[in-house]
Amino acid sequence: MSDYKQSNPKKLHILRKKQYLEMQRYRLSFINKKTGFYYSNFTEKRNCPVCNSNKKIKIFQKEGGVYVKCEKCTLVYLDPVFKDKNLNNYYINNADTQHLACIQSSEFYKSIYGLGIKSIRKNSKKKKLKILDIGCCSGFFLDMCKKIGWNTYGMELNKKDLKIAEKNHKVWSSTVEQAKIKEKFDVITFWDCFEHIKNSKKTLQSIKKLLNKNGLVFFQVPNSDSFAARVLRDKCNMFDPIEHVNLFNVKSFKKLISNSDFKLCS
């Protein structure tokens, strides 16, 4: 899966630290030093992406971004937010730190992804599944799925992660809305990816045409009402003022799903 093995953790740690510093320099390049905010030509204002309400409360500023909370559905979201083109370009050119994180903490990710596979099996009538992982990074989760006999596909914008993932899987370099895919899938997964997507409702509508009958959609998303978020506030890593554009709690997520004609299962 990678040229870097767990047997050399020191080398991995040094490389991962280097890539985090590279990523941070990249992020800071979008901030206007005079205003302290992201350059206005990169961003746009918006209403709540779940209920379209324009009633919001400012929570805090972090780095160059501002988080607000919808007074109606309680979604926490970035406003202003990067424009679609600028956000996509950001992901394409960003450092691939998640790849190294998976290698360095492979047992942790195997455990988490294993729970996801167990949940999918519980809710699917099929044994051999055709699965699409949105935001698949370097394909660590898909590697696990392939080992148990599933047919694996992915979507990934980051060009470095894409190059690694497509060695073992069919991967498209596209957003869900822009994808021209004729395939249909039994399962579509969003592992720590859905919070990166600006227009959640449009994305859910787009994946309907990619699902087989009785198909499943699996989400793992951070909870904006979590203990860490409430205590640490802007110091919590959940609040990423470029990438984490929409942060759900149980109420806002259920509202989004019900409005999109999907049925929740355990």
Side-chain angles (χ1 to χ4, degrees), residues 13-60:
H13 177 73
I14 293 171
L15 184 58
R16 190 176 177 188
K17 185 177 180 180
K18 180 181 177 181
Q19 289 203 319
Y20 269 117
L21 290 173
E22 177 187 338
M23 180 180 70
Q24 191 60 21
R25 284 194 294 270
Y26 179 54
R27 294 169 66 91
L28 293 176
S29 69
F30 295 98
I31 296 179
N32 185 331
K33 293 181 180 179
K34 292 182 179 180
T35 65
F37 295 98
Y38 295 117
Y39 286 105
S40 58
N41 59 308
F42 282 95
T43 62
E44 61 186 2
K45 296 286 290 181
R46 61 174 177 161
N47 292 340
C48 174
V50 169
C51 68
N52 200 39
S53 171
N54 62 0
K55 295 182 179 180
K56 64 197 83 170
I57 303 169
K58 179 179 177 180
I59 303 177
F60 52 72

Side-chain angles (χ1 to χ4, degrees), residues 53 71 75 94 100 123 161 164 222 247-248:
S53 171
E71 292 186 25
L75 179 78
N94 199 10
L100 291 179
N123 289 286
D161 279 332
I164 298 169
L247 292 170
F248 297 89

Side-chain angles (χ1 to χ4, degrees), residues 132 154-155 172 178-185 209-210:
L132 172 66
M155 281 189 187
W172 291 275
Q178 295 172 337
K180 297 179 180 179
I181 301 175
K182 296 181 180 179
E183 307 272 359
K184 284 188 176 289
F185 305 92
K209 64 184 179 184
L210 300 176

Side-chain angles (χ1 to χ4, degrees), residues 140-200:
F140 193 97
F141 171 66
L142 291 177
D143 290 341
M144 291 180 62
C145 294
K146 192 172 186 177
K147 284 181 180 179
I148 60 175
W150 293 359
N151 296 318
T152 53
Y153 300 78
M155 281 189 187
E156 178 55 49
L157 289 177
N158 184 274
K159 57 187 179 184
K160 295 176 183 177
D161 279 332
L162 173 69
K163 189 175 180 180
I164 298 169
E166 64 186 3
K167 291 179 182 178
N168 297 314
H169 316 282
K170 169 64 177 177
V171 185
W172 291 275
S173 176
S174 172
T175 64
V176 177
E177 294 82 6
Q178 295 172 337
K180 297 179 180 179
I181 301 175
K182 296 181 180 179
E183 307 272 359
K184 284 188 176 289
F185 305 92
D186 302 308
V187 184
I188 296 177
T189 55
F190 291 87
W191 281 99
D192 298 312
C193 170
F194 202 61
E195 64 271 20
H196 295 249
I197 296 173
K198 280 174 61 180
N199 195 328
S200 308

